[in-house]
Amino acid sequence: MARPDPNRPDMSRRTFLAGGLAAAASPAFADPRTANTDPIRPFGAPAADLALVLAVDCSRSIDAQEYRLQAEGYAAAFRHARVRRAILGGPTRRIAVAMTQWGGQFAQTQALGWTLLDADAAIDAFAARLEGQSRLVDDDATAIGAAIDHAVRVLADCPFAAPRRTIDVSGDGRSNQGRFPRFARDDAVAAGVGINGLPILTDETNLAAVYRSEVIGGPGAFVVPARSFSSFADAIVQKLAAEIA
C-alpha cells in the first residue's frame, strides 16, 4: 500500500474543515423554541406590564359579518371602564398590544403593529383602529398551531420590555390543518409565553373543552367562552380585564 506523501496537503481534512466552517456560518431556521423571546430588551426600551397579542380567527367559517362583530367587540372591550382600569392600574400603568389575523397553515399576518397603551387617548385611538381594521386573511382552513407559532414570533419582535407575554386566541372551530396546537402551545409556554382562549361556541358547543386541553397554557391560563358572536364583546371584556390585571 502506498504511503502518504508528507509534502502533499491532506485534501480530505481540508474538505472536512471547510464543510464544518460553512455549516457553522449558515443561518439557522427560525424556531419558536429558540427565537429571541427574552423579555429583557436593550437599554432604554420602554417598560410595560404586559405584551399582548390578539390572535383573531379569520378562517372561512368566519363570515364578513362575524369578523365585523369580532373587530367591534375588541374595540368595545378596550373602551370599557373595567379594561381601561386594568391597563392603567398596573406597576408601569401601560401595556403593549398587537393584533394578528390567522386562518390556515400558511395564512397569518400582523394586522396591527405594537402599540403602547399608556393613557386614555392611546387606548381610544387603538380601539378606533381595531374597529376600523379590515380583514386581511380569508382562508379555508383553521390552523391554531400555526397561529400560535406566528404570535410567538410577533412577541419576539416586541420593542417593549414586559415581564408577562400573552397570546389571546379567539376562534369558532378546532384546528384542522398544520401543526397540532398542543405542540405549539407547549413550545410557547417553554419560551415563557402564556396563552388564553376565547372560543366562540356557534358551531361547536364543546369547543371550550378543546381549547382547555389543546390551546391554552402557562401559569393561570384560562378560557372564557362566548356563546355567540353577539355576546363576543361581553366575553372579551371579562377576558381582557382578567389577563391584563
Side-chain angles (χ1 to χ4, degrees), residues 97-142:
V97 188
M99 175 188 176
T100 64
Q101 297 180 8
W102 58 272
Q105 184 176 1
F106 305 107
Q108 309 92 33
T109 188
Q110 185 172 350
L112 293 177
W114 284 107
T115 305
L116 193 65
L117 306 185
D118 57 355
D120 287 333
I123 297 171
D124 289 337
F126 185 70
R129 292 175 66 198
L130 283 169
E131 191 170 39
Q133 176 59 49
S134 60
R135 181 175 187 159
L136 304 178
V137 172
D138 186 2
D139 193 74
D140 284 334
T142 300

XYZ file of all heavy atoms in Angstrom, residues 97-142:
344
model
N -49.754 46.170 22.944
C -50.711 45.279 22.274
C -50.441 45.260 20.775
O -50.118 46.290 20.168
C -52.168 45.738 22.521
C -53.148 44.697 21.983
C -52.432 45.964 23.990
N -50.593 44.082 20.163
C -50.568 43.918 18.707
C -51.708 42.975 18.337
O -52.206 42.221 19.176
C -49.237 43.353 18.240
N -52.124 43.022 17.078
C -53.208 42.156 16.593
C -52.726 41.355 15.391
O -52.105 41.904 14.481
C -54.422 42.988 16.190
C -55.553 42.192 15.555
S -56.846 43.288 14.906
C -57.942 42.092 14.132
N -52.998 40.040 15.418
C -52.737 39.200 14.257
C -54.051 38.598 13.769
O -54.998 38.449 14.530
C -51.752 38.057 14.580
O -52.346 37.174 15.545
C -50.459 38.594 15.141
N -54.088 38.273 12.492
C -55.206 37.545 11.896
C -54.666 36.237 11.358
O -53.560 36.190 10.816
C -55.854 38.365 10.773
C -56.465 39.679 11.237
C -57.098 40.458 10.086
O -57.222 39.974 8.970
N -57.484 41.683 10.358
N -55.452 35.176 11.477
C -54.939 33.870 11.078
C -56.047 33.004 10.485
O -57.226 33.210 10.742
C -54.298 33.152 12.268
C -55.224 32.944 13.445
C -55.453 33.802 14.473
C -56.044 31.795 13.701
N -56.360 33.273 15.361
C -56.743 32.039 14.906
C -56.250 30.591 13.032
C -57.632 31.120 15.451
C -57.144 29.668 13.573
C -57.814 29.941 14.775
N -55.608 32.052 9.665
C -56.522 31.084 9.060
C -55.835 29.745 8.991
O -55.656 29.075 10.001
N -55.418 29.319 7.777
C -54.773 28.032 7.597
C -53.298 28.060 7.943
O -52.768 29.038 8.480
N -52.618 26.970 7.591
C -51.235 26.764 7.984
C -50.303 27.871 7.496
O -49.343 28.226 8.175
C -50.762 25.400 7.451
C -49.357 25.014 7.859
C -48.995 23.621 7.367
O -49.780 22.957 6.712
N -47.777 23.179 7.689
N -50.571 28.420 6.325
C -49.696 29.442 5.758
C -50.404 30.793 5.637
O -50.035 31.615 4.804
C -49.190 28.980 4.389
C -48.505 27.642 4.425
C -49.125 26.510 3.911
C -47.257 27.502 5.006
C -48.503 25.271 3.962
C -46.622 26.269 5.063
C -47.246 25.147 4.539
N -51.402 31.017 6.473
C -52.198 32.247 6.384
C -52.249 32.934 7.734
O -53.167 32.734 8.528
C -53.614 31.925 5.891
N -51.214 33.722 8.012
C -51.189 34.564 9.213
C -50.573 35.904 8.833
O -49.676 35.959 7.993
C -50.352 33.946 10.344
C -50.669 32.520 10.715
C -49.812 31.539 9.955
O -48.665 31.823 9.644
N -50.361 30.374 9.648
N -51.058 36.952 9.455
C -50.468 38.265 9.215
C -50.628 39.132 10.463
O -51.573 38.947 11.242
C -51.135 38.963 8.007
O -50.412 40.151 7.686
C -52.578 39.334 8.308
N -49.681 40.036 10.671
C -49.787 41.002 11.761
C -50.566 42.196 11.238
O -50.074 42.990 10.454
C -48.405 41.418 12.260
C -48.462 42.334 13.474
C -47.094 42.588 14.070
O -46.111 41.949 13.715
N -47.024 43.542 15.004
N -51.805 42.305 11.678
C -52.701 43.340 11.167
C -52.424 44.699 11.803
O -52.481 45.724 11.128
C -54.152 42.939 11.400
N -52.150 44.722 13.094
C -51.840 45.963 13.807
C -50.526 45.781 14.539
O -50.341 44.814 15.283
C -52.950 46.324 14.801
C -54.313 46.702 14.210
C -55.324 46.973 15.323
C -54.192 47.918 13.303
N -49.615 46.729 14.339
C -48.298 46.638 14.964
C -48.341 46.949 16.446
O -49.379 47.327 17.009
N -47.189 46.805 17.080
C -47.103 47.015 18.524
C -47.446 48.455 18.893
O -46.901 49.398 18.324
C -45.710 46.663 19.025
C -45.504 45.184 19.098
C -44.737 44.416 18.275
C -46.090 44.303 20.049
N -44.822 43.105 18.646
C -45.642 42.997 19.736
C -46.960 44.473 21.136
C -46.029 41.881 20.463
C -47.346 43.360 21.865
C -46.890 42.078 21.535
N -48.362 48.583 19.829
C -48.865 49.888 20.267
C -48.820 49.959 21.781
O -49.267 49.038 22.466
C -50.319 50.093 19.798
O -50.385 49.919 18.381
C -50.812 51.486 20.160
N -48.270 51.042 22.301
C -48.196 51.240 23.747
C -49.443 51.967 24.216
O -49.725 53.083 23.779
C -46.947 52.043 24.107
C -46.563 52.079 25.593
C -46.181 50.679 26.076
C -45.408 53.040 25.822
N -50.187 51.327 25.109
C -51.399 51.922 25.682
C -51.042 52.450 27.071
O -50.928 51.681 28.030
C -52.523 50.886 25.768
C -52.879 50.154 24.462
C -54.088 49.246 24.670
C -53.112 51.137 23.334
N -50.829 53.747 27.150
C -50.356 54.345 28.397
C -51.199 55.532 28.859
O -50.825 56.231 29.799
C -48.896 54.780 28.254
C -48.684 55.755 27.104
O -49.649 56.029 26.360
O -47.546 56.238 26.943
N -52.317 55.775 28.196
C -53.193 56.887 28.560
C -54.550 56.658 27.891
O -54.672 55.854 26.957
C -52.590 58.222 28.110
N -55.558 57.394 28.366
C -56.896 57.255 27.791
C -56.896 57.522 26.298
O -57.554 56.814 25.519
C -57.864 58.219 28.485
C -58.214 57.781 29.897
O -58.168 56.565 30.172
O -58.536 58.653 30.723
N -56.153 58.531 25.873
C -56.135 58.877 24.452
C -55.543 57.746 23.618
O -56.033 57.448 22.519
C -55.343 60.163 24.238
N -54.478 57.107 24.118
C -53.856 55.999 23.384
C -54.807 54.805 23.297
O -54.879 54.128 22.263
C -52.549 55.599 24.055
N -55.533 54.542 24.369
C -56.498 53.432 24.373
C -57.625 53.713 23.390
O -58.030 52.834 22.614
C -57.046 53.196 25.792
C -55.921 52.786 26.744
C -58.138 52.125 25.775
C -56.322 52.746 28.207
N -58.140 54.936 23.387
C -59.221 55.303 22.460
C -58.761 55.178 21.005
O -59.510 54.694 20.147
C -59.687 56.734 22.736
C -60.462 56.845 24.039
O -61.006 55.828 24.508
O -60.531 57.972 24.579
N -57.534 55.609 20.728
C -57.021 55.543 19.360
C -56.851 54.095 18.917
O -57.165 53.736 17.765
C -55.692 56.288 19.268
N -56.377 53.237 19.819
C -56.205 51.827 19.469
C -57.558 51.157 19.247
O -57.706 50.354 18.318
C -55.422 51.100 20.565
C -55.098 49.674 20.225
C -54.173 49.372 19.243
C -55.716 48.629 20.888
C -53.860 48.052 18.924
C -55.419 47.306 20.582
C -54.485 47.019 19.600
N -58.536 51.496 20.070
C -59.879 50.944 19.889
C -60.450 51.337 18.528
O -61.087 50.521 17.844
C -60.797 51.412 21.010
N -60.216 52.568 18.122
C -60.700 53.018 16.811
C -60.016 52.249 15.686
O -60.644 51.902 14.678
C -60.456 54.522 16.661
N -58.725 51.963 15.843
C -58.013 51.181 14.827
C -58.549 49.763 14.757
O -58.706 49.195 13.666
C -56.517 51.167 15.134
C -55.824 52.518 14.964
C -54.382 52.430 15.404
N -53.612 51.552 14.529
C -52.433 51.014 14.866
N -51.924 51.257 16.075
N -51.793 50.235 14.016
N -58.843 49.172 15.913
C -59.428 47.829 15.934
C -60.781 47.817 15.215
O -61.055 46.926 14.404
C -59.614 47.355 17.381
C -58.375 46.876 18.138
C -58.708 46.718 19.613
C -57.874 45.552 17.569
N -61.587 48.801 15.520
C -62.933 48.862 14.951
C -62.896 49.025 13.439
O -63.730 48.473 12.718
C -63.699 50.018 15.589
C -65.171 50.030 15.285
C -65.890 51.053 16.140
O -65.335 52.156 16.365
O -67.007 50.758 16.607
N -61.921 49.768 12.941
C -61.840 50.023 11.515
C -60.935 49.063 10.756
O -60.788 49.205 9.537
N -60.336 48.101 11.460
C -59.384 47.202 10.817
C -60.073 46.292 9.802
O -61.032 45.597 10.122
C -58.672 46.351 11.873
C -57.729 45.304 11.305
C -56.635 45.913 10.452
O -55.980 46.866 10.871
N -56.432 45.371 9.257
N -59.588 46.303 8.582
C -60.143 45.432 7.543
C -59.626 44.009 7.707
O -58.604 43.761 8.368
C -59.787 45.961 6.159
O -58.383 46.009 5.995
N -60.334 43.100 7.098
C -59.942 41.697 7.139
C -58.839 41.455 6.117
O -59.014 41.719 4.924
C -61.158 40.820 6.843
C -60.892 39.330 6.874
C -62.186 38.562 6.700
N -62.017 37.140 6.877
C -63.007 36.309 7.169
N -64.242 36.767 7.303
N -62.782 35.014 7.321
N -57.693 40.932 6.577
C -56.549 40.705 5.704
C -56.348 39.235 5.379
O -55.574 38.902 4.479
C -55.281 41.262 6.356
C -55.325 42.741 6.751
C -54.018 43.150 7.419
C -55.610 43.621 5.542
N -57.009 38.350 6.115
C -56.893 36.908 5.908
C -58.285 36.343 5.668
O -59.241 36.689 6.369
C -56.253 36.210 7.129
C -56.317 34.691 6.988
C -54.809 36.669 7.309
N -58.401 35.483 4.655
C -59.662 34.782 4.374
C -59.274 33.427 3.816
O -59.029 33.283 2.623
C -60.511 35.580 3.382
C -61.889 34.973 3.174
O -62.194 33.963 3.832
O -62.653 35.498 2.343
N -59.191 32.425 4.684
C -58.615 31.148 4.307
C -59.544 30.011 4.689
O -60.254 30.086 5.700
C -57.266 30.983 5.000
C -56.459 29.844 4.425
O -55.926 30.000 3.313
O -56.367 28.794 5.091
N -59.536 28.936 3.895
C -60.440 27.812 4.130
C -60.180 27.099 5.449
O -61.115 26.686 6.133
C -60.323 26.792 2.988
C -61.029 27.257 1.727
O -61.980 28.054 1.860
O -60.626 26.837 0.634
N -58.911 26.912 5.806
C -58.566 26.036 6.914
C -58.448 26.779 8.243
O -58.439 28.013 8.302
C -57.268 25.305 6.597
N -58.334 25.984 9.312
C -58.150 26.508 10.662
C -56.894 25.866 11.236
O -56.880 24.665 11.524
C -59.363 26.176 11.559
O -60.540 26.760 10.988
C -59.165 26.701 12.965
